Amino acid sequence: MERNTNRWDFDIDTYINPWIPPSILQKLPHQISRFLGYRASPRKELGSILVALWSLFGAFCGIAAVSAVFKYSGVFSELDPPIIIGSFGASAILEYGVIGSPLGQPRNCVLGHFLSAVCGVGVAKLFQLSSHFDDIKWVAGAVAVGLSSAVMSITNTSHPPGGATALLAAVDVSVARLGWYLLPYVLIGTTLMLGIALAVNNIQRQFPVFWWTPKDTGGRLWPVSKATEPDLEALEEQKVVHGRSDIPTSFDLPMGSDSSTASLK
């Protein structure tokens, strides 16, 4: 029997999402939930000038904070780490500029960098077993980026700057010197950038669009309560029968509501 490989498919979220607790942001105090990205009603769009200014301010704060931590805190000082790795500059564009991109959400940023670092360091360690490592370092870089791309794709954590992290881990001397310490390095860096993104981006904008996935979560350890979900069919019927435009439907429920597939998971 001929197998159609074009139809091969695997979605890791099918197996993970039932075990991820549903969002509780709407239950938190407003001052907290707002800076975690929750909105009870749709946010207002900003003009491009304001977006550019907030992007400038956020990117400056994020990169400055990460650089300052690694320069002055003494973290990994015995390894003489770089002040910052170049891939964080690319992440700053996603975290503070294009904040609505799925590629820049918390799961993608943190896990994308982390998994890429694992791939890059692992490949580098393997190639370093060769006495001709300097001559084949370029191959190690290519393998590291290819592997990180595949891993991010299969785990739904694609974050383009992660590819640069994997490449640097294999070919850049200052980054490769960290070895497996690159893993906590990127966790510290991405966590700092994420924290600043939450503070800066939620002053006039909304970040993140989702924490884990835009799809539904829960159902195993955390069963979703149907009692709190609006009857969408009834709302649709009222809107048609009574001609009322103020009744929300399944298409115009605010982002972050309990039944919206775009709620912050």
Side-chain angles (χ1 to χ4, degrees), residues 163-180:
T165 296
L167 180 62
L168 292 169
V171 303
D172 186 90
V173 175
S174 62
V175 177
R177 185 167 54 240
L178 291 172
W180 292 113

PDB file of all heavy atoms in Angstrom, residues 163-180:
ATOM      1  N   GLY A 163      17.013  30.398  16.195  1.00  0.00           N
ATOM      2  CA  GLY A 163      17.946  29.839  15.232  1.00  0.00           C
ATOM      3  C   GLY A 163      19.318  30.481  15.364  1.00  0.00           C
ATOM      4  O   GLY A 163      20.352  29.818  15.223  1.00  0.00           O
ATOM      5  N   ALA A 164      19.332  31.791  15.652  1.00  0.00           N
ATOM      6  CA  ALA A 164      20.606  32.483  15.848  1.00  0.00           C
ATOM      7  C   ALA A 164      21.293  32.002  17.128  1.00  0.00           C
ATOM      8  O   ALA A 164      22.515  31.893  17.181  1.00  0.00           O
ATOM      9  CB  ALA A 164      20.371  33.986  15.916  1.00  0.00           C
ATOM     10  N   THR A 165      20.507  31.715  18.150  1.00  0.00           N
ATOM     11  CA  THR A 165      21.068  31.187  19.399  1.00  0.00           C
ATOM     12  C   THR A 165      21.766  29.856  19.142  1.00  0.00           C
ATOM     13  O   THR A 165      22.884  29.614  19.629  1.00  0.00           O
ATOM     14  CB  THR A 165      19.976  31.007  20.457  1.00  0.00           C
ATOM     15  OG1 THR A 165      19.412  32.293  20.792  1.00  0.00           O
ATOM     16  CG2 THR A 165      20.520  30.360  21.720  1.00  0.00           C
ATOM     17  N   ALA A 166      21.116  28.980  18.387  1.00  0.00           N
ATOM     18  CA  ALA A 166      21.721  27.689  18.059  1.00  0.00           C
ATOM     19  C   ALA A 166      23.001  27.870  17.240  1.00  0.00           C
ATOM     20  O   ALA A 166      24.009  27.192  17.480  1.00  0.00           O
ATOM     21  CB  ALA A 166      20.726  26.825  17.287  1.00  0.00           C
ATOM     22  N   LEU A 167      22.973  28.790  16.291  1.00  0.00           N
ATOM     23  CA  LEU A 167      24.149  29.036  15.451  1.00  0.00           C
ATOM     24  C   LEU A 167      25.316  29.572  16.279  1.00  0.00           C
ATOM     25  O   LEU A 167      26.455  29.106  16.147  1.00  0.00           O
ATOM     26  CB  LEU A 167      23.789  30.021  14.345  1.00  0.00           C
ATOM     27  CG  LEU A 167      24.908  30.403  13.368  1.00  0.00           C
ATOM     28  CD1 LEU A 167      25.403  29.181  12.613  1.00  0.00           C
ATOM     29  CD2 LEU A 167      24.420  31.481  12.400  1.00  0.00           C
ATOM     30  N   LEU A 168      25.037  30.542  17.144  1.00  0.00           N
ATOM     31  CA  LEU A 168      26.091  31.126  17.977  1.00  0.00           C
ATOM     32  C   LEU A 168      26.701  30.087  18.911  1.00  0.00           C
ATOM     33  O   LEU A 168      27.905  30.092  19.169  1.00  0.00           O
ATOM     34  CB  LEU A 168      25.533  32.297  18.777  1.00  0.00           C
ATOM     35  CG  LEU A 168      25.143  33.539  17.969  1.00  0.00           C
ATOM     36  CD1 LEU A 168      24.364  34.519  18.843  1.00  0.00           C
ATOM     37  CD2 LEU A 168      26.381  34.212  17.393  1.00  0.00           C
ATOM     38  N   ALA A 169      25.856  29.196  19.425  1.00  0.00           N
ATOM     39  CA  ALA A 169      26.355  28.165  20.336  1.00  0.00           C
ATOM     40  C   ALA A 169      27.344  27.239  19.649  1.00  0.00           C
ATOM     41  O   ALA A 169      28.204  26.637  20.307  1.00  0.00           O
ATOM     42  CB  ALA A 169      25.186  27.353  20.890  1.00  0.00           C
ATOM     43  N   ALA A 170      27.221  27.114  18.338  1.00  0.00           N
ATOM     44  CA  ALA A 170      28.093  26.192  17.600  1.00  0.00           C
ATOM     45  C   ALA A 170      29.323  26.853  17.011  1.00  0.00           C
ATOM     46  O   ALA A 170      30.368  26.221  16.912  1.00  0.00           O
ATOM     47  CB  ALA A 170      27.294  25.514  16.483  1.00  0.00           C
ATOM     48  N   VAL A 171      29.223  28.150  16.640  1.00  0.00           N
ATOM     49  CA  VAL A 171      30.328  28.752  15.883  1.00  0.00           C
ATOM     50  C   VAL A 171      30.977  29.952  16.554  1.00  0.00           C
ATOM     51  O   VAL A 171      32.083  30.344  16.177  1.00  0.00           O
ATOM     52  CB  VAL A 171      29.861  29.166  14.471  1.00  0.00           C
ATOM     53  CG1 VAL A 171      29.279  27.975  13.718  1.00  0.00           C
ATOM     54  CG2 VAL A 171      28.852  30.301  14.526  1.00  0.00           C
ATOM     55  N   ASP A 172      30.307  30.569  17.521  1.00  0.00           N
ATOM     56  CA  ASP A 172      30.874  31.750  18.165  1.00  0.00           C
ATOM     57  C   ASP A 172      31.666  31.350  19.403  1.00  0.00           C
ATOM     58  O   ASP A 172      31.139  30.693  20.299  1.00  0.00           O
ATOM     59  CB  ASP A 172      29.762  32.726  18.550  1.00  0.00           C
ATOM     60  CG  ASP A 172      30.297  34.036  19.086  1.00  0.00           C
ATOM     61  OD1 ASP A 172      30.523  34.951  18.284  1.00  0.00           O
ATOM     62  OD2 ASP A 172      30.484  34.136  20.319  1.00  0.00           O
ATOM     63  N   VAL A 173      32.921  31.754  19.473  1.00  0.00           N
ATOM     64  CA  VAL A 173      33.812  31.309  20.542  1.00  0.00           C
ATOM     65  C   VAL A 173      33.321  31.757  21.914  1.00  0.00           C
ATOM     66  O   VAL A 173      33.283  30.975  22.868  1.00  0.00           O
ATOM     67  CB  VAL A 173      35.244  31.835  20.310  1.00  0.00           C
ATOM     68  CG1 VAL A 173      36.145  31.469  21.481  1.00  0.00           C
ATOM     69  CG2 VAL A 173      35.804  31.276  19.011  1.00  0.00           C
ATOM     70  N   SER A 174      32.896  33.025  22.034  1.00  0.00           N
ATOM     71  CA  SER A 174      32.489  33.553  23.336  1.00  0.00           C
ATOM     72  C   SER A 174      31.219  32.896  23.852  1.00  0.00           C
ATOM     73  O   SER A 174      31.047  32.715  25.055  1.00  0.00           O
ATOM     74  CB  SER A 174      32.296  35.070  23.248  1.00  0.00           C
ATOM     75  OG  SER A 174      31.266  35.399  22.325  1.00  0.00           O
ATOM     76  N   VAL A 175      30.327  32.531  22.928  1.00  0.00           N
ATOM     77  CA  VAL A 175      29.089  31.866  23.336  1.00  0.00           C
ATOM     78  C   VAL A 175      29.341  30.383  23.590  1.00  0.00           C
ATOM     79  O   VAL A 175      28.867  29.815  24.574  1.00  0.00           O
ATOM     80  CB  VAL A 175      27.992  32.037  22.261  1.00  0.00           C
ATOM     81  CG1 VAL A 175      26.730  31.281  22.664  1.00  0.00           C
ATOM     82  CG2 VAL A 175      27.681  33.524  22.061  1.00  0.00           C
ATOM     83  N   ALA A 176      30.117  29.752  22.714  1.00  0.00           N
ATOM     84  CA  ALA A 176      30.424  28.323  22.870  1.00  0.00           C
ATOM     85  C   ALA A 176      31.167  28.055  24.174  1.00  0.00           C
ATOM     86  O   ALA A 176      31.066  26.957  24.745  1.00  0.00           O
ATOM     87  CB  ALA A 176      31.236  27.822  21.681  1.00  0.00           C
ATOM     88  N   ARG A 177      31.903  29.052  24.643  1.00  0.00           N
ATOM     89  CA  ARG A 177      32.655  28.892  25.885  1.00  0.00           C
ATOM     90  C   ARG A 177      31.742  28.625  27.085  1.00  0.00           C
ATOM     91  O   ARG A 177      32.139  27.997  28.065  1.00  0.00           O
ATOM     92  CB  ARG A 177      33.498  30.142  26.133  1.00  0.00           C
ATOM     93  CG  ARG A 177      34.420  30.053  27.326  1.00  0.00           C
ATOM     94  CD  ARG A 177      35.441  31.171  27.331  1.00  0.00           C
ATOM     95  NE  ARG A 177      34.808  32.486  27.243  1.00  0.00           N
ATOM     96  CZ  ARG A 177      35.041  33.357  26.257  1.00  0.00           C
ATOM     97  NH1 ARG A 177      35.875  33.061  25.287  1.00  0.00           N
ATOM     98  NH2 ARG A 177      34.449  34.533  26.244  1.00  0.00           N
ATOM     99  N   LEU A 178      30.501  29.066  26.993  1.00  0.00           N
ATOM    100  CA  LEU A 178      29.550  28.839  28.079  1.00  0.00           C
ATOM    101  C   LEU A 178      29.152  27.370  28.184  1.00  0.00           C
ATOM    102  O   LEU A 178      28.777  26.907  29.260  1.00  0.00           O
ATOM    103  CB  LEU A 178      28.292  29.696  27.862  1.00  0.00           C
ATOM    104  CG  LEU A 178      28.436  31.207  28.024  1.00  0.00           C
ATOM    105  CD1 LEU A 178      27.162  31.911  27.579  1.00  0.00           C
ATOM    106  CD2 LEU A 178      28.756  31.557  29.466  1.00  0.00           C
ATOM    107  N   GLY A 179      29.189  26.654  27.089  1.00  0.00           N
ATOM    108  CA  GLY A 179      28.773  25.255  27.104  1.00  0.00           C
ATOM    109  C   GLY A 179      27.323  25.130  27.546  1.00  0.00           C
ATOM    110  O   GLY A 179      26.461  25.901  27.119  1.00  0.00           O
ATOM    111  N   TRP A 180      27.070  24.184  28.441  1.00  0.00           N
ATOM    112  CA  TRP A 180      25.705  23.964  28.914  1.00  0.00           C
ATOM    113  C   TRP A 180      25.206  25.101  29.791  1.00  0.00           C
ATOM    114  O   TRP A 180      24.012  25.202  30.062  1.00  0.00           O
ATOM    115  CB  TRP A 180      25.604  22.643  29.671  1.00  0.00           C
ATOM    116  CG  TRP A 180      25.795  21.454  28.788  1.00  0.00           C
ATOM    117  CD1 TRP A 180      26.825  20.563  28.802  1.00  0.00           C
ATOM    118  CD2 TRP A 180      24.917  21.018  27.727  1.00  0.00           C
ATOM    119  NE1 TRP A 180      26.662  19.610  27.823  1.00  0.00           N
ATOM    120  CE2 TRP A 180      25.498  19.856  27.152  1.00  0.00           C
ATOM    121  CE3 TRP A 180      23.715  21.493  27.211  1.00  0.00           C
ATOM    122  CZ2 TRP A 180      24.910  19.175  26.095  1.00  0.00           C
ATOM    123  CZ3 TRP A 180      23.119  20.818  26.146  1.00  0.00           C
ATOM    124  CH2 TRP A 180      23.712  19.674  25.611  1.00  0.00           C
TER     125      TRP A 180
END
